[in-house]
Amino acid sequence: MASVNILFLLISLLSRTQGQSCDYKGTLTGHTTLTKTLLTICPRDTTYIDISYNEFTTVSVDAFDGFYALAKINITNNKITELPVGLFDQSFKASLTELYGSDNMLESLHNDVFENNFNLRILDLSNNKLNFIDTNVFHKDLSKLELVNVSYNQMTYFEPWPYIPETPQTDDIDLVFDIQHNLIEKFTNTMNWTYNLVEPYEYLVNLQFNKISEMSDDVIFMYRDKVEDQSVLTELLTYNVNVTNNPYFCNCKLYELVRDLHASFFLYYRVEEYRYRCASPPHLANVDLLHDLDLDQFVCNITDNCPLNCTCQEKPYISTLEMNCTNANLRELPQTLPPMSDNIQYVSLYLSGNRITEITKRNYSNIIYNLTVSNNNINYIDGEALKEMVNLNNLDISGNALKYVPKEIQKLSFHKVKVRGNPFQCECNMTWMADWIALSNGADESSITCSSDDKTHVIKDVTEKGLGCNISDFVIIFSVIMTVVVGVIIGGIITARRCPYETKVLIYRFLRIHPRDLYKVDQDETMHYDAYLSFDGEDIQVRQWIKTIFMKKLEENGKKKYKFFCPLRDALVGEDYGQDLVQKMTQSRRIFVLLSPGYFTDTWRIYESDQAEMEHNANSENHPRVVYIIWHDENEVIKQNLQKEPWKSRLIGKRVLSPDKRFFWSKIRYELPIKPRSKINRVNNSYTDIQEAERDERQQNNDIKVICKKDLTPLPHRPQSAAIGGVSHDNLYLEAIEL
């Protein structure tokens, strides 16, 4: 009898293996674990195994060991809870193209489960209980994938693993990931994947019928390493993701997405197929948010930190948070605001019918756009608070207890302010309101009144003369002037004691009085130059600054024009170069030494500085004085050299200036020789006719411009207003003009 049963089983199994396939569909229901033993009768060259509709809960990792030609496996309609790593990493790993595992109880997929199945094309794991798919299940080498179906599972979030497989760009086949009918409600990126897709895009991701209720620009740009062109249209086309038919909460968080879609062809693209519908709030349920809802309907009701009895609402359409606290029994302006989204720039406060007594500063004053505080008990408005309301556009203070309003209210046109119903007093400090109202061109409230001595006056007709304000105004003005004068004198005395040099410079700047002793060399009319300029001509930045700023400012511009000896412009060329430098230095009243990084290594500049020291230290009051200019106070090369000899000693007792410091140009003019009022010194000549001398000097300066023009080539990629020594040339120039 046993032999008969064995024979019957063999005949049955042989009948299921015809055509290189093994059909175990519904025939192994008495087993819960799929093992290698159950499949031993199946030929090793089988290409298709069907084990569907059985009762397997687990699969042994070696269940398919020995099969070398398997291309298709069907394990659907079982109760399998896991696909162990290595199950498909057998001798058939390169031939497997299709795997069907729907209608099981799979809960997760772990990395390497399809590690070497490079030719896998179709994977169907729909109708399981999948809630976790590891980040490298679908690795880049699964380049033959065409369809991954994980619909009708329990996924609650979306990771960008559909975009990892590197499918061919030229096969005209999209890789479709069907993730519909899950529980996905958010987008994540724990795998830290960044955008690296190129056209033509090979992916189609279907996320319809999930739990997605929000979709902001932040989500769409989450996977971008660099966002160069923030275009929702570009991103949706690139990712090729379908998020229609989800239960969208149509509030402010959807505003940016809908706004951008309105500006793209998606507004008219396959309208019936791609419907975005609201699920909530209830009054918008089932409304097509893309085609049937205006942008101003996308608002958010804020409850966090919203004052009691108030409603707070974000309206991104106008970039405003509206706080409505009408009749809310408030005693003051709210101290703080609810947390706001990044796209909210303003706040509108509707606070009528409360018991507020004053308007003072708040930390959000600068974003107030509308302030309505009518019918309160306001008797004081802080002018500084109005100053801080830089974005205020409408103000309603009608029906309060105000006797006057601060002048700062004039920042608004009168027609944007409602003031009716306040007991204004006709006083001298409010006559400015007449002009303010007069400029309103017939505003509705131009007939508002004030009271004085039991009389009522129309404010726009009130004058200082009518109120007898002239005498009191004179007393006030005189008191203020005297206070300012005394304060200036006291401040000047304190400043002079603390900063004597700067005080002298300022006296010369404002009063044109040179408070120092005159140097004899300044009176020597045989001197040919006002100053000798020693600087590193090889440094193009230094050269540009000297020629186009320093010399131009002092030789050409201004009432007082100085004459400089510039070695790059004026020195002889040849064997007499060094001798010429020494001679011109002795013929100069000042020597300006500009210390830049390259100056300390330039042989000729070292030679010049040595000669300058000799001239400065000579036992004659007719020798020139040396002034040092530090190119940049914070330059490390300069700082290090100035700590060494001989520079450390040379700067002691010398005047040291820097373009980084305040009043630089005032100090330069202070250090330069005082120009005689009656005549201008020229080389080998003295002119008594000032106008003739100036014409001659202008002509010489024009010649200089021609000579130096080839050296004034602008720096590559650097405008002439660029910062030199940490200070903008333009700023220094403007300071000089101001002085």
Side-chain angles (χ1 to χ4, degrees):
M1 186 65 178
S3 61
V4 173
N5 289 337
I6 293 174
L7 179 61
F8 177 81
L9 179 60
L10 289 173
I11 294 172
S12 176
L13 290 174
L14 287 172
S15 67
R16 299 188 187 107
T17 60
Q18 295 178 357
Q20 302 301 320
S21 64
C22 290
D23 186 0
Y24 293 98
K25 184 177 181 180
T27 62
L28 302 174
T29 56
H31 302 274
T32 58
T33 301
L34 178 60
T35 62
K36 178 179 180 180
T37 304
L38 293 175
L39 305 178
T40 53
I41 196 64
C42 195
R44 300 297 94 180
D45 61 349
T46 295
T47 59
Y48 172 49
I49 292 181
D50 185 353
I51 318 172
S52 61
Y53 292 93
N54 285 288
E55 298 177 351
F56 295 116
T57 59
T58 58
V59 181
S60 176
V61 71
D62 62 349
F64 301 111
D65 185 26
F67 296 99
Y68 60 85
L70 269 180
K72 179 178 178 181
I73 298 176
N74 186 350
I75 56 174
T76 62
N77 291 280
N78 280 277
K79 299 178 182 179
I80 299 171
T81 60
E82 182 183 12
L83 298 178
V85 174
L87 177 62
F88 307 110
D89 193 14
Q90 306 294 337
S91 52
F92 63 88
K93 58 189 177 185
S95 62
L96 183 64
T97 59
E98 300 177 31
L99 174 61
Y100 299 91
S102 62
D103 297 284
N104 277 281
M105 302 184 71
L106 296 173
E107 295 183 358
S108 61
L109 292 178
H110 296 281
N111 289 338
D112 302 330
V113 66
F114 305 118
E115 181 180 10
N116 294 307
N117 305 121
F118 304 136
N119 290 305
L120 186 63
R121 292 189 306 107
I122 298 175
L123 175 63
D124 184 357
L125 299 177
S126 59
N127 284 292
N128 276 275
K129 295 185 177 181
L130 286 173
N131 57 57
F132 174 75
I133 297 178
D134 217 339
T135 56
N136 201 40
V137 170
F138 302 102
H139 53 83
K140 64 183 182 64
D141 294 324
L142 294 177
S143 59
K144 301 295 181 62
L145 270 179
E146 297 177 10
L147 172 64
V148 176
N149 187 352
V150 289
S151 62
Y152 293 95
N153 276 281
Q154 299 178 9
M155 299 293 297
T156 59
Y157 60 91
F158 174 79
E159 280 280 324
W161 32 256
Y163 302 105
I164 302 302
E166 297 180 354
T167 58
Q169 295 278 301
T170 57
D171 60 0
D172 295 326
I173 299 176
D174 287 338
L175 169 53
V176 178
F177 271 82
D178 189 348
I179 320 177
Q180 301 182 77
H181 296 281
N182 273 265
L183 304 175
I184 294 175
E185 59 183 5
K186 62 180 179 179
F187 293 77
T188 58
N189 192 18
T190 60
M191 59 194 295
N192 294 320
W193 178 77
T194 55
Y195 176 96
N196 60 358
L197 308 179
V198 294
E199 290 188 277
Y201 307 118
E202 292 290 310
Y203 308 89
L204 175 59
V205 181
N206 293 321
L207 291 173
Q208 304 97 304
F209 305 102
N210 276 277
K211 300 295 182 182
I212 301 172
S213 61
E214 298 179 2
M215 181 69 74
S216 65
D217 284 359
D218 291 339
V219 172
I220 294 176
F221 300 125
M222 179 186 299
Y223 309 114
R224 282 285 219 152
D225 184 23
K226 294 181 179 178
V227 181
E228 298 174 354
D229 176 22
Q230 285 200 350
S231 165
V232 171
L233 172 61
T234 301
E235 302 307 313
L236 290 179
L237 285 175
T238 301
Y239 295 122
N240 210 0
V241 59
N242 188 339
V243 291
T244 61
N245 292 293
N246 275 280
Y248 288 109
F249 187 13
C250 293
N251 63 2
C252 64
K253 295 181 180 179
L254 275 181
Y255 168 77
E256 290 182 347
L257 173 65
V258 178
R259 178 200 61 194
D260 293 339
L261 289 177
H262 273 195
S264 73
F265 77 88
F266 275 101
L267 187 62
Y268 310 103
Y269 176 69
R270 298 163 68 178
V271 174
E272 293 304 321
E273 180 181 352
Y274 286 85
R275 286 284 184 182
Y276 299 82
R277 295 189 179 276
C278 301
S280 55
H283 69 282
L284 297 178
N286 208 37
V287 175
D288 183 339
L289 64 90
L290 190 57
H291 301 93
D292 300 333
L293 203 58
D294 293 332
L295 289 176
D296 60 3
Q297 296 296 307
F298 292 91
V299 299
C300 285
N301 292 318
I302 310 299
T303 58
D304 186 15
N305 205 34
C306 186
L308 185 64
N309 300 322
C310 300
T311 59
C312 301
Q313 196 172 71
E314 279 193 5
K315 294 187 174 182
Y317 182 64
I318 53 176
S319 303
T320 301
L321 170 69
E322 287 190 358
M323 181 184 292
N324 191 334
C325 297
T326 303
N327 299 317
N329 201 32
L330 297 182
R331 295 178 179 272
E332 61 179 2
L333 299 184
Q335 290 291 339
T336 58
L337 297 178
M340 299 182 296
S341 303
D342 293 339
N343 57 2
I344 299 300
Q345 302 177 20
Y346 311 106
V347 59
S348 291
L349 302 177
Y350 299 93
L351 311 176
S352 299
N354 287 281
R355 293 193 285 175
I356 300 171
T357 59
E358 59 183 16
I359 297 176
T360 53
K361 290 190 288 187
R362 293 291 184 267
N363 60 3
Y364 55 85
S365 294
N366 62 314
I367 63 171
I368 295 178
Y369 183 81
N370 177 86
L371 180 59
T372 299
V373 286
S374 60
N375 300 310
N376 278 269
N377 299 319
I378 298 173
N379 54 42
Y380 171 71
I381 298 177
D382 184 2
E384 292 300 317
L386 290 179
K387 278 186 179 181
E388 289 196 1
M389 297 180 189
V390 293
N391 286 298
L392 186 63
N393 190 65
N394 294 287
L395 176 63
D396 185 354
I397 52 176
S398 59
N400 280 283
L402 290 166
K403 294 183 178 181
Y404 70 93
V405 291
K407 286 187 177 182
E408 287 79 6
I409 202 171
Q410 295 178 94
K411 64 184 288 184
L412 293 176
S413 299
F414 181 72
H415 70 275
K416 292 185 177 182
V417 182
K418 295 181 180 180
V419 296
R420 186 181 296 275
N422 282 282
F424 292 119
Q425 295 295 309
C426 299
E427 297 179 355
C428 296
N429 62 355
M430 52 80 64
T431 54
W432 57 267
M433 292 183 67
D435 294 332
W436 181 44
I437 296 173
L439 295 174
S440 64
N441 295 323
D444 293 339
E445 299 192 358
S446 60
S447 60
I448 59 174
T449 61
C450 62
S451 299
S452 175
D453 299 329
D454 298 327
K455 294 181 180 180
T456 301
H457 306 274
V458 177
I459 292 181
K460 69 177 182 179
D461 298 329
V462 171
T463 63
E464 292 183 352
K465 183 177 180 180
L467 296 177
C469 301
N470 295 339
I471 297 177
S472 59
D473 285 351
F474 174 78
V475 173
I476 294 173
I477 293 173
F478 180 77
S479 300
V480 171
I481 292 176
M482 291 304 299
T483 302
V484 171
V485 169
V486 172
V488 169
I489 293 174
I490 294 175
I493 294 173
I494 295 174
T495 303
R497 293 181 64 86
R498 292 183 177 179
C499 310
Y501 176 65
E502 284 74 10
T503 302
K504 291 179 181 179
V505 171
L506 291 176
I507 290 174
Y508 180 63
R509 170 181 171 179
F510 292 111
L511 304 179
R512 296 305 176 193
I513 298 174
H514 215 299
R516 62 168 168 77
D517 295 331
L518 298 180
Y519 304 119
K520 291 184 178 181
V521 69
D522 294 351
Q523 308 302 317
D524 188 349
E525 296 185 1
T526 63
M527 290 291 181
H528 294 173
Y529 302 99
D530 292 310
Y532 181 103
L533 303 181
S534 176
F535 60 93
D536 178 17
E538 298 298 321
D539 188 327
I540 190 170
Q541 295 185 25
V542 174
R543 187 173 75 241
Q544 289 274 30
W545 187 77
I546 285 289
K547 289 189 175 183
T548 64
I549 301 296
F550 190 90
M551 293 172 60
K552 187 177 184 67
K553 201 178 285 285
L554 298 172
E555 276 194 331
E556 299 180 19
N557 298 335
K559 296 180 179 179
K560 296 181 180 180
K561 296 179 173 59
Y562 298 94
K563 181 174 179 58
F564 297 132
F565 178 81
C566 174
L568 285 180
R569 180 187 67 184
D570 305 320
L572 297 176
V573 179
E575 296 180 356
D576 296 332
Y577 178 71
Q579 183 178 354
D580 184 53
L581 294 182
V582 175
Q583 181 181 1
K584 295 303 189 294
M585 193 175 291
T586 61
Q587 296 174 352
S588 302
R589 296 182 176 87
R590 301 286 187 276
I591 301 174
F592 286 105
V593 179
L594 177 58
L595 298 177
S596 60
Y599 192 96
F600 302 98
T601 57
D602 188 315
T603 304
W604 279 109
R605 303 294 76 79
I606 299 298
Y607 175 76
E608 283 181 330
S609 65
D610 291 342
Q611 293 298 319
E613 280 299 303
M614 293 173 60
E615 291 293 330
H616 185 83
N617 296 327
N619 294 322
S620 172
E621 295 182 357
N622 284 324
H623 282 267
R625 293 176 53 79
V626 179
V627 177
Y628 287 95
I629 301 175
I630 306 299
W631 177 242
H632 189 355
D633 285 338
E634 300 302 322
N635 186 280
E636 291 299 325
V637 175
I638 298 177
K639 290 168 66 176
Q640 291 174 8
N641 278 282
L642 294 184
Q643 296 300 317
K644 303 175 183 178
E645 295 294 346
W647 302 105
K648 184 176 181 180
S649 299
R650 284 184 177 179
L651 266 61
I652 296 175
K654 304 290 197 313
R655 189 68 69 203
V656 181
L657 309 179
S658 171
D660 291 347
K661 300 297 179 59
R662 296 184 61 187
F663 308 123
F664 171 72
W665 294 107
S666 295
K667 293 176 181 178
I668 287 291
R669 286 187 171 87
Y670 180 82
E671 294 299 333
L672 282 166
I674 299 177
K675 303 291 289 184
R677 294 181 181 273
S678 60
K679 52 188 175 181
I680 299 177
N681 296 328
R682 306 293 295 168
V683 180
N684 300 323
N685 291 285
S686 296
Y687 294 93
T688 57
D689 187 352
I690 296 177
Q691 293 181 343
E692 186 175 334
E694 288 181 345
R695 285 197 300 270
D696 183 71
E697 187 165 358
R698 282 198 297 271
Q699 181 61 44
Q700 182 172 347
N701 284 340
N702 289 334
D703 295 340
I704 291 171
K705 291 179 183 177
V706 175
I707 295 172
C708 298
K709 183 176 181 181
K710 61 183 178 180
D711 287 334
L712 296 179
T713 305
L715 289 173
H717 310 296
R718 178 176 182 143
Q720 292 189 359
S721 62
I724 297 296
V727 175
S728 167
H729 284 170
D730 288 341
N731 289 341
L732 294 176
Y733 182 76
L734 290 173
E735 179 186 336
I737 294 299
E738 179 186 8
L739 303 185

